[in-house]
Amino acid sequence: EDQVTQSPEALRLQEGESSSLNCSYTVSGLRGLFWYRQDPGKGPEFLFTLYSAGEEKEKERLKATLTKKESFLHITAPKPEDSATYLCAVQVSDTGNQFYFGTGTSLTVIP
Amino acid sequence: DTEVTQTPKHLVMGMTNKKSLKCEQHMGHRAMYWYKQKAKKPPELMFVYSYEKLSINESVPSRFSPECPNSSLLNLHLHALQPEDSALYLCASSQDLLPTDTQYFGPGTRLTVL
């Protein structure tokens, strides 16, 4: 059964304290892994797409990496405005763009 | 521009009311989606439209009725909802239904059913 798991469920960091969020997946035929940021009561905001193991993408303080079993979202020197829920989603089908979402990691950055 | 707009932002309705949610995108995307999201849960797919035709219906109750009048607009008609239908309703769009197509989400409509 296809499964996407994110850890930790919640993470509290001091401002400037770097850390990583994990998205592990057990799916057959990964076609793409997507990272989103979601603020409370708002829609998910697209961050990155990764397609193959070894791929890395960066944007400001965020860096996403992908292996054959998991993806990491590294946050370097976070700021309070990075506080949000981070969702990963995987796409496995060749016949439709159906996402399987993880349950998310709620990040709080304390000033 | 990767903007998807949704109206209204908030909606409160009784169980006997009929209301509609609206979604619009002007990115030329040919696939559009409706998701339902409960608090502290990930989005759950409800419907997918591709080239204005319903492609996926995830066994959603008939009190939710989607409509795609044209390639830029997506509606969700609501009738005889239950309190447990209260949630954030998200619209998304993507270039097509290819596995590598990114979905871009709107800000959502917060629905409360009394």
Side-chain angles (χ1 to χ4, degrees):
Chain A
E1 179 183 335
D2 295 336
Q3 199 165 7
V4 182
T5 304
Q6 288 188 248
S7 62
E9 192 173 310
L11 181 63
R12 289 173 64 90
L13 299 173
Q14 292 289 332
E15 186 173 358
E17 179 187 2
S18 301
S19 188
S20 297
L21 313 182
N22 178 264
C23 172
S24 64
Y25 56 91
T26 53
V27 300
S28 53
L30 178 75
R31 300 299 177 188
L33 188 142
F34 302 80
W35 281 100
Y36 290 86
R37 168 198 169 123
Q38 187 172 26
D39 292 302
K42 298 188 176 181
E45 175 189 347
F46 171 69
L47 294 174
F48 304 109
T49 308
L50 303 166
Y51 297 112
S52 57
E55 190 173 1
E56 298 182 354
K57 289 192 177 174
E58 285 188 70
K59 178 181 178 182
E60 296 180 352
R61 295 177 292 282
L62 300 177
K63 179 180 178 180
T65 62
L66 182 64
T67 73
K68 290 187 177 180
K69 294 184 178 180
E70 58 193 349
S71 176
F72 291 95
L73 184 65
H74 307 277
I75 304 178
T76 302
K79 298 181 178 182
E81 53 262 42
D82 295 322
S83 298
T85 294
Y86 290 85
L87 293 165
C88 73
V90 301
Q91 216 284 33
V92 299
S93 171
D94 276 333
T95 57
N97 196 5
Q98 189 164 355
F99 274 8
Y100 290 90
F101 276 96
T103 50
T105 293
S106 176
L107 174 66
T108 303
V109 182
I110 305 163
Chain B
D1 183 12
T2 56
E3 188 178 25
V4 176
T5 60
Q6 291 186 242
T7 56
K9 290 185 178 179
H10 303 276
L11 179 63
V12 179
M13 60 186 290
M15 289 189 286
T16 59
N17 292 156
K18 287 186 181 180
K19 296 287 185 183
S20 296
L21 309 185
K22 297 184 184 301
C23 174
E24 191 167 4
Q25 57 88 14
H26 294 289
M27 296 177 279
H29 289 177
R30 305 316 300 259
M32 297 185 76
Y33 312 75
W34 280 115
Y35 287 85
K36 172 183 177 180
Q37 187 177 27
K38 303 283 275 185
K40 299 190 184 300
K41 298 289 187 181
E44 297 175 26
L45 183 65
M46 300 174 71
F47 303 103
V48 181
Y49 272 83
S50 176
Y51 290 83
E52 301 162 43
K53 293 185 179 179
L54 186 63
S55 176
I56 296 175
N57 177 341
E58 289 289 346
S59 302
V60 178
S62 60
R63 57 186 183 268
F64 295 92
S65 176
E67 178 196 18
C68 190
N70 60 56
S71 60
S72 300
L73 294 174
L74 186 65
N75 298 321
L76 185 62
H77 303 297
L78 314 173
H79 174 54
L81 295 192
Q82 304 296 311
E84 58 263 31
D85 296 321
S86 298
L88 182 67
Y89 287 83
L90 295 165
C91 173
S93 71
S94 64
Q95 185 66 44
D96 208 315
L97 284 185
L98 295 176
T100 53
D101 285 335
T102 298
Q103 293 184 29
Y104 295 94
F105 286 82
T109 293
R110 171 68 62 190
L111 174 67
T112 303
V113 182
L114 301 176

